Amino acid sequence: MLKEMLIKNRSYRRYDAGFTVPEETLCELIGLARYINSSANKQALRFRPVCEAALREKLFAVTRWAKLLENYSGPQEHERPGGYIVICRDAAVWPNAATLEKDVGVAAAAITLGAVEKGLGCCMINNFSAQGCREALELPETLEPALVVAIGKPAEEIILEDAKTGGDTKYYRDENGVHHVPKLSLDKLII
Amino acid sequence: MLKEMLIKNRSYRRYDAGFTVPEETLCELIGLARYINSSANKQALRFRPVCEAALREKLFAVTRWAKLLENYSGPQEHERPGGYIVICRDAAVWPNAATLEKDVGVAAAAITLGAVEKGLGCCMINNFSAQGCREALELPETLEPALVVAIGKPAEEIILEDAKTGGDTKYYRDENGVHHVPKLSLDKLII
């Protein structure tokens, strides 16, 4: 059931760093993104799997995590993801970056749901240095990194809960370190 | 299996116009988008289900379909979708529209995969008049229509095929009216 997969598909920020995601698994996930609906079928997205430890470290250094958590600077060394897929726009195929943003989201959904199906977890990281990412991965100039998807074996509990009336949607960690994510009720989303 | 759902999740442009998607079904699909990963968990997207015939007609009039097909002005009357979900950005929640584009894509993926699960089909329509859409649906000013998702009972065959070397990715209809969508091979997508 898709609903269960969507509920399981949370933004994990603590992983078992001892588990490296095999490159083959990352490529299988990219293979899912091959089938997505693409604006004018241009297929202007390119995907960089990252599983080698030294590269993961370099990439991690240019990402920023969970800006809503106070006194938090991202996963500690033993909590870091065992792999990444960096989604890039290929300007040589389609120069208008803005048009491709929705495609990036659709691709990220396919990849992260695919990870859930494999018993893994992800975090879509929009807050990163594109220039730093390009340098770390030695990407060609025509490729613009659009989204970093962290992937790994989750090592935290995340609870979806109903946002309270008045509706602060800020996520938080409770005293036991459990991560809570308040979601608006359906009637708030429907116009 | 997610892969099969992604393959089935094509961009349909011919539907059985005799089938109206019940409002309840549209709301169930919006319910799936409730669980998506959301930038900073802001949940700044709002969703307008459209199933009433007169409203569907008004909305259809402000959409543009399949610009790559020659001599084609969109689905004929008997081929039109039996429902829509219009995904809007709520500027009162998050004024920066660009940041939300990926969220729109992630939401659209959830909605369209959900439709596949229900035996329906969709088309994400990015080419439409936002102002026309706002007027047709009498949307409040803070809501900016970001994507129109057409939904219905598909009435066409769509074949995914491998793009030829050299790689024209333009979709086309063959002499039997079958719609073909050339997809790049996986090695072209991986950096």
Side-chain angles (χ1 to χ4, degrees):
Chain A
M1 288 290 295
L2 180 66
K3 182 177 169 178
E4 284 160 37
M5 292 176 69
L6 288 163
I7 290 173
K8 276 191 197 165
N9 190 17
R10 306 287 26 109
S11 299
Y12 290 98
R13 298 178 182 90
R14 284 173 284 191
Y15 300 90
D16 172 359
F19 176 82
T20 300
V21 185
E23 182 151 12
E24 192 190 340
T25 302
L26 297 175
C27 291
E28 281 171 19
L29 295 175
I30 296 169
L32 295 176
R34 184 178 173 236
Y35 299 115
I36 63 167
N37 318 79
S38 150
S39 296
N41 200 38
K42 279 283 184 187
Q43 303 166 71
L45 302 181
R46 298 293 175 267
F47 304 86
R48 174 64 184 269
V50 178
C51 67
E52 201 244 309
L55 270 189
R56 276 189 280 145
E57 211 169 302
K58 280 188 189 175
L59 183 56
F60 177 80
V62 301
T63 57
R64 299 289 167 269
W65 293 64
K67 62 181 172 187
L68 298 187
L69 294 182
E70 281 161 37
N71 305 317
Y72 179 74
S73 56
Q76 295 176 46
E77 216 164 316
H78 66 282
E79 299 171 330
R80 294 190 185 157
Y84 297 90
I85 291 172
V86 179
I87 306 179
C88 301
R89 295 179 290 256
D90 188 339
V93 177
W94 195 327
N96 185 343
T99 313
L100 288 177
E101 287 294 274
K102 291 186 188 94
D103 287 40
V104 172
V106 176
I111 288 170
T112 56
L113 287 169
V116 167
E117 196 174 52
K118 290 175 184 295
L120 301 172
C122 297
C123 190
M124 300 183 195
I125 305 170
N126 207 22
N127 192 3
F128 68 98
S129 156
Q131 184 55 27
C133 176
R134 180 183 280 125
E135 285 168 15
L137 303 178
E138 298 178 11
L139 297 173
E141 270 199 23
T142 54
L143 293 185
E144 180 68 18
L147 188 71
V148 175
V149 183
I151 306 173
K153 196 168 146 188
E156 71 172 325
E157 194 185 348
I158 300 181
I159 294 178
L160 288 186
E161 59 192 26
D162 293 336
K164 296 200 178 63
T165 322
D168 192 352
T169 59
K170 211 170 150 179
Y171 49 75
Y172 63 97
R173 284 189 185 173
D174 67 21
E175 63 278 15
N176 300 314
V178 175
H179 190 90
H180 295 252
V181 184
K183 288 291 187 190
L184 297 177
S185 60
L186 184 55
D187 62 294
K188 292 262 190 328
L189 301 185
I190 295 178
I191 306 158
Chain B
M1 289 289 295
L2 180 65
K3 182 177 169 177
E4 284 160 39
M5 290 176 69
L6 287 163
I7 290 174
K8 275 190 198 165
N9 190 16
R10 306 291 17 116
S11 299
Y12 290 98
R13 298 178 182 91
R14 284 173 284 190
Y15 300 89
D16 172 358
F19 177 81
T20 299
V21 185
E23 183 151 11
E24 192 190 339
T25 302
L26 297 175
C27 291
E28 281 171 21
L29 296 175
I30 296 168
L32 294 176
R34 182 176 172 236
Y35 299 115
I36 64 167
N37 318 81
S38 150
S39 296
N41 201 38
K42 279 284 184 187
Q43 304 166 73
L45 302 181
R46 297 295 177 266
F47 304 86
R48 174 65 186 268
V50 178
C51 68
E52 201 243 310
L55 270 188
R56 278 190 279 144
E57 209 169 305
K58 279 188 189 174
L59 184 56
F60 178 79
V62 301
T63 56
R64 298 289 168 269
W65 294 64
K67 62 181 173 187
L68 298 187
L69 293 182
E70 281 161 36
N71 304 317
Y72 180 72
S73 56
Q76 295 175 45
E77 216 163 316
H78 67 283
E79 300 171 329
R80 295 190 184 157
Y84 296 90
I85 292 173
V86 178
I87 306 179
C88 301
R89 296 179 291 256
D90 188 339
V93 178
W94 196 326
N96 185 343
T99 314
L100 287 177
E101 287 293 274
K102 291 185 188 94
D103 287 39
V104 171
V106 176
I111 288 169
T112 56
L113 287 170
V116 166
E117 197 174 52
K118 290 176 183 294
L120 301 172
C122 297
C123 189
M124 300 182 195
I125 304 169
N126 207 21
N127 192 3
F128 67 98
S129 157
Q131 184 55 28
C133 177
R134 179 184 280 124
E135 287 169 13
L137 303 178
E138 297 178 12
L139 297 174
E141 270 199 23
T142 55
L143 293 183
E144 179 68 19
L147 187 71
V148 175
V149 182
I151 306 174
K153 195 167 149 192
E156 70 171 326
E157 193 185 351
I158 300 182
I159 294 177
L160 287 186
E161 58 191 26
D162 293 336
K164 296 200 177 62
T165 321
D168 192 351
T169 58
K170 209 169 150 180
Y171 49 74
Y172 62 97
R173 285 190 184 172
D174 68 20
E175 63 277 16
N176 300 314
V178 175
H179 190 89
H180 294 254
V181 183
K183 287 292 186 190
L184 296 177
S185 60
L186 184 54
D187 63 294
K188 293 265 189 331
L189 301 186
I190 295 179
I191 308 158

